[in-house]
Amino acid sequence: MLSTIPLIPFLAAYASYPVHAATAGSFVNAGSTLVSAMMMFVGNSEKVYILDKAEGNAAQINGHSAWGAVWDFATQQATVMDVRTNVFCSSGMHLPNGSFITLGGNGAVGPGGNLGSQLNPGGYSASWDATYQDFDGTKAIRILNPCTSSDNFDSPNCQWYDDPTVLSMQSMRWYSAAEALGDGSVIIIGGFSNGGYVNRNYPNVDPATEGGAANPTYEYFPSNGQTPATFNFLINTSGLNAYAHTFLMPSGKLLVQANISTVLWDHKANQETPLPPMPGNIVRVYPASGATAMLPLTPANNYTPTVMFCGGSDMPDFAWGNYTYPFINTWEYPASSKCHRITPEPTDGSAPVYVEDDDMPETRSMGQFVILPTGQLLAVNGALNGTAGYSQATLVTPTFAQMPFGESLSSGPVGTPALYDPTKPAGQRWSNVGFGTSKIARLYHSSAVLLPDASVLIAGSNPNVDVNLTTIFPTTYQAEIFYPPYFNATTRPLPIGMPSKLSYGGNPFDILVPATSYSGSANDAADSATVVIQRSGFTTHAMNMGQRVMQLNNTYTVNSNGSITLHVAQVPPNSNLFTPGPAFMFVNVHGIPSNGTYLIVGNGQIGTQPTAAASVLPPSVRLAGASGSADPSNTSGNNNSSDSTTGSTSHTGVIVGVIVAVVAVLGAIGAFIGICTVRRRRAAVRISPSSSSYPMTSAGLAGAGSAALGMRGAGAGIRSSDSSAFVPLQHDNHSQAWNNSTTSLNTPYKDHDDTAMGRPSGMGMSVDYDPYASSPMNVDNSRTPRY
């Protein structure tokens, strides 16, 4: 049975939930992020961490423009943070103790995206810039221990550790992929040493290294001490393998997809098993940037991963161009609306195949999947036409003055989210009924992440080499929150007894769902109840690296007073299914999720995770006549309803908790929560990008215009006790580590054949290339751009 839960900690936990009015299907202003949100991740139940490339943001810290910030869930206010290296187009991942790392980036840049003032050997990149005061980030490993409002944010323990003179990768990596492994370590795959729009010269005569600018190797964090080995798949996919889509499989192998190729890769033996190519020659990696996610792992699918790919672009090879720019006007080329899914390790002995799924409601590049606690996938952001990236020219538009959308290589921003339900029959899986349309273009360098209250934070967009507030698609600081359809319900489940840690196998645990959490038959509510753990991942470039949702197995006992005791299994005893580290637990009843509770999966250490036998659950016990006590009109969360009823992100009803046989009535909890979460407003000046008159596209209308809640103590204890495992976190000689005479760790590189043929782009990236010798492609003019 459920153990007794002290009243005061229970009240304190739920008092931390913010109380913000919400309307299902709507967007609301979530304040300024101060830096453009190229990257985001949820650090804990209170904070979202934001990273930008080094650029001329008005927000300042330590005498230079900031490119880091932390956004508070309760106040919806951001505070700048200092990041020393240029984090432009890094990868990132969680660690077992709840910390996060970001990996690699770009060389130092100054105003206008030009190379920094102190050049690296060879002159193709810079180690430092005197104006922006950013250091070369191409080898950097940055570590953050997320803190809460009760911590001292001025303490080094709450700040980014960013010192590549002490902690760095072996190779320079820009646009690399990262994936957590079953032991909590991280594999870091590929990337550019330098580059531009795509990572190749044209014609592609050197697919391995492109004259030194491509990096076809992989390494690990923590390092295994071995020299990075070559991953042949990166040579075979040369030019279109930035941010390769990577997913850990139950076997410990990795599904890796780039260009139009797919492999199942045993990274330990460095052996590849080719899988079928992407149907229709559709590219889903950057800069095509299709929406990609693993479908939820559930008892019903026997925890067998299936990966979904939607959108992207089927531009022919010539169109992708080279480091400098695409060879066609990409903004005139419609993105794809196609979706495909693949099960890389089928359990029935069949061969893996791509299966075409329902088309998205519209064409979309740079679309991003956010997995909801209900198991549905929300697609947000992106454009009808074109690709990610920015440029000041194309092969057919030779001057910047002729570029119709500034530096943007896309057009037709899609402002209406779309919801994909994998449980529905084919032909009925997509819906956007009742969804509002954002007025903010979310194009290149946009991001989105699930918040602990199950809403979605959307921020960023900056298809510009440096801050530009007046162009048609400006640098964007305004964040928004989108409220999915389940916010129709004003009453949401209020589970009691959520754990702060989960193990791989072992004894099950109980969660109590009070009768006030639902209406109608208790048996029906119990039948519908699911318990999921959700990791929103490190989001950048239309991806959420490490994003995963798992439904835990459960049975139930219906109690005579209408409460429901859920008997819940631990995580299956295979850490490859859900790698160790931070997550949020949600309880769904009738498709309505609770707020999420922060927890740690595994033992908080890097290394082989302890496992036990899979949890054995008691049989379910039903009880006729038992029912919920919530107002039936407040518990509807019809995901297909076009009616949007005012809701709330917190539980505002009377809470009745049954612990063993005692019923505790907490009549004043609503007022208590409201008092504890009164919104505070900063007095600092907030940055607001200039408004754009560019019409937003409503999904389904082809004619729209063109032109964590949890027990902080558990997480904190893990981070505190384990911090000594990361030696660099003890390093304090920053006066010596950070100065303009720091010796560069970079080795010289080049991306041409010893012939000075390049021209400066003013973008802070090398654009030297071999002369192309192919006749221009005949573009298929039958594909009309969608606006």
Side-chain angles (χ1 to χ4, degrees):
M1 295 298 291
L2 193 70
S3 59
T4 301
I5 300 173
L7 176 62
I8 297 303
F10 173 75
L11 283 172
Y14 279 91
S16 66
Y17 281 125
V19 181
H20 299 307
T23 301
S26 70
F27 289 86
V28 300
N29 184 356
S32 170
T33 56
L34 298 180
V35 302
S36 192
M38 177 189 294
M39 307 172 191
M40 292 197 302
F41 61 90
V42 176
N44 49 42
S45 59
E46 297 181 8
K47 308 292 183 182
V48 174
Y49 289 85
I50 299 170
L51 293 167
D52 192 2
K53 67 180 186 288
E55 59 179 337
N57 293 312
Q60 299 282 304
I61 188 167
N62 294 335
H64 63 84
S65 292
W67 54 92
V70 56
W71 181 88
D72 186 87
F73 178 36
T75 66
Q76 297 188 355
Q77 300 295 313
T79 304
V80 293
M81 299 182 71
D82 203 8
V83 183
R84 304 309 306 273
T85 58
N86 189 357
V87 71
F88 183 23
C89 299
S90 298
S91 55
M93 192 53 58
H94 62 274
L95 296 177
N97 67 345
S99 298
F100 282 79
I101 56 172
T102 68
L103 302 156
N106 199 11
V109 299
N114 291 303
L115 297 182
S117 56
Q118 181 175 318
L119 299 180
N120 283 318
Y124 299 109
S125 68
S127 60
W128 184 77
D129 181 70
T131 302
Y132 285 172
Q133 299 180 33
D134 62 312
F135 289 80
D136 189 335
T138 53
K139 284 189 174 182
I141 299 176
R142 311 164 193 85
I143 300 181
L144 180 91
N145 296 317
C147 289
T148 67
S149 298
S150 62
D151 297 311
N152 177 13
F153 260 84
D154 293 331
S155 165
N157 293 332
C158 292
Q159 298 296 313
W160 281 101
Y161 179 83
D162 184 6
D163 190 343
T165 66
V166 176
L167 180 65
S168 65
M169 295 182 293
Q170 297 183 59
S171 297
M172 295 179 288
R173 300 187 188 275
W174 190 29
Y175 294 89
S176 65
E179 178 74 348
L181 302 176
D183 64 355
S185 64
V186 178
I187 188 169
I188 312 161
I189 303 171
F192 304 178
S193 298
N194 199 31
Y197 176 62
V198 293
N199 192 27
R200 71 175 188 184
N201 296 306
Y202 194 90
N204 193 342
V205 296
D206 178 19
T209 66
E210 294 296 351
N215 187 343
T217 70
Y218 62 100
E219 58 182 293
Y220 298 87
F221 175 84
S223 173
N224 61 4
Q226 299 177 6
T227 301
T230 297
F231 183 16
N232 287 325
F233 174 78
L234 298 178
I235 299 175
N236 297 332
T237 57
S238 177
L240 286 169
N241 57 26
Y243 283 136
H245 295 306
T246 308
F247 297 90
L248 182 66
M249 294 290 111
S251 66
K253 298 177 181 179
L254 296 165
L255 173 73
V256 187
Q257 197 284 320
N259 206 315
I260 59 171
S261 300
T262 314
V263 294
L264 188 62
W265 180 41
D266 182 344
H267 62 95
K268 294 180 179 178
N270 199 9
Q271 294 179 348
E272 304 172 24
T273 301
L275 298 182
M278 189 65 70
N281 291 332
I282 303 172
V283 177
R284 263 71 190 239
V285 295
Y286 168 87
S289 300
T292 306
M294 180 184 291
L295 298 182
L297 299 167
T298 69
N301 61 32
N302 197 28
Y303 299 107
T304 304
T306 295
V307 180
M308 183 87 165
F309 300 86
C310 288
S313 180
D314 65 356
M315 291 194 326
D317 183 68
F318 178 87
W320 295 102
N322 60 13
Y323 293 117
T324 315
Y325 45 48
F327 286 177
I328 67 169
N329 291 338
T330 52
W331 56 84
E332 298 173 350
Y333 195 96
S336 175
S337 62
K338 294 294 182 182
C339 291
H340 299 90
R341 55 161 86 179
I342 188 170
T343 302
E345 294 182 338
T347 57
D348 60 2
S350 62
V353 294
Y354 276 104
V355 177
E356 186 167 345
D357 210 316
D358 294 0
D359 285 1
M360 303 178 82
E362 66 289 303
T363 60
R364 197 185 295 238
S365 68
M366 298 175 285
Q368 182 171 348
F369 275 138
V370 174
I371 311 176
L372 303 179
T374 56
Q376 299 157 311
L377 275 62
L378 186 73
V380 298
N381 302 342
L384 295 173
N385 311 306
T387 69
Y390 52 71
S391 181
Q392 296 181 349
T394 72
L395 184 64
V396 295
T397 302
T399 68
F400 184 53
Q402 295 174 291
M403 297 282 285
F405 303 108
E407 293 176 300
S408 175
L409 293 174
S410 65
S411 68
V414 182
T416 308
L419 191 67
Y420 173 84
D421 190 337
T423 66
K424 289 191 174 181
Q428 303 176 30
R429 292 172 179 159
W430 283 102
S431 175
N432 54 26
V433 175
F435 289 178
T437 299
S438 172
K439 297 179 180 179
I440 301 175
R442 302 289 185 184
L443 302 175
Y444 187 40
H445 292 154
S446 299
S447 56
V449 70
L450 188 81
L451 293 176
D453 72 336
S455 63
V456 178
L457 178 66
I458 299 174
S461 190
N462 187 20
N464 303 288
V465 66
D466 205 337
V467 172
N468 190 334
L469 304 180
T470 59
T471 187
I472 189 168
F473 298 133
T475 304
T476 302
Y477 301 103
Q478 183 179 334
E480 297 172 289
I481 292 177
F482 177 76
Y483 292 100
Y486 42 70
F487 279 85
N488 273 335
T490 56
T491 298
R492 294 172 61 181
L494 191 76
I496 302 172
M498 303 278 263
S500 60
K501 294 182 181 179
L502 291 176
S503 60
Y504 294 103
N507 294 328
F509 56 94
D510 287 349
I511 295 174
L512 186 74
V513 179
T516 51
S517 295
Y518 70 97
S519 62
S521 164
N523 288 339
D524 290 346
D527 287 338
S528 75
T530 59
V531 180
V532 300
I533 50 175
Q534 194 269 3
R535 180 173 288 148
S536 55
F538 180 95
T539 169
T540 187
H541 287 72
M543 303 176 299
N544 288 62
M545 298 183 190
Q547 179 177 222
R548 196 165 290 207
V549 169
M550 172 182 282
Q551 178 188 339
L552 302 179
N553 200 11
N554 78 273
T555 57
Y556 59 81
T557 296
V558 176
N559 302 310
S560 59
N561 64 353
S563 66
I564 302 166
T565 301
L566 301 177
H567 313 294
V568 187
Q570 299 283 349
V571 179
N574 179 355
S575 59
N576 296 326
L577 290 173
F578 200 98
T579 58
F584 285 86
M585 177 177 283
F586 296 85
V587 173
N588 299 294
V589 178
H590 290 314
I592 308 301
S594 67
N595 285 310
T597 296
Y598 181 87
L599 53 76
I600 292 289
V601 178
N603 67 357
Q605 307 280 341
I606 292 177
T608 301
Q609 297 295 300
T611 59
S615 302
V616 177
L617 301 176
S620 293
V621 177
R622 299 165 67 84
L623 183 63
S627 62
S629 59
D631 183 346
S633 65
N634 294 334
T635 56
S636 172
N638 186 349
N639 288 331
N640 295 315
S641 174
S642 60
D643 296 327
S644 296
T645 306
T646 299
S648 172
T649 69
S650 65
H651 310 287
T652 57
V654 176
I655 299 169
V656 180
V658 179
I659 304 171
V660 189
V662 179
V663 180
V665 180
L666 309 177
I669 191 169
F672 181 79
I673 295 173
I675 293 171
C676 291
T677 57
V678 172
R679 182 177 299 179
R680 303 182 302 273
R681 293 296 182 186
R682 289 165 60 109
V685 176
R686 291 166 54 185
I687 302 172
S688 298
S690 61
S691 61
S692 171
S693 60
Y694 194 91
M696 294 299 299
T697 299
S698 176
L701 299 176
S706 65
L709 181 73
M711 303 305 288
R712 167 73 175 108
I718 292 172
R719 287 192 288 272
S720 176
S721 62
D722 292 349
S723 62
S724 60
F726 300 101
V727 175
L729 293 179
Q730 313 303 318
H731 179 72
D732 58 4
N733 191 10
H734 289 272
S735 63
Q736 189 176 60
W738 296 112
N739 60 72
N740 61 3
S741 63
T742 297
T743 301
S744 171
L745 296 176
N746 296 335
T747 55
Y749 63 87
K750 56 185 179 180
D751 51 7
H752 60 82
D753 294 334
D754 293 322
T755 304
M757 306 180 66
R759 58 181 175 80
S761 72
M763 293 185 184
M765 54 185 76
S766 174
V767 296
D768 296 327
Y769 60 96
D770 293 336
Y772 49 86
S774 174
S775 59
M777 175 194 66
N778 292 321
V779 180
D780 182 2
N781 293 320
S782 65
R783 296 192 54 153
T784 305
R786 296 189 62 182
Y787 293 106

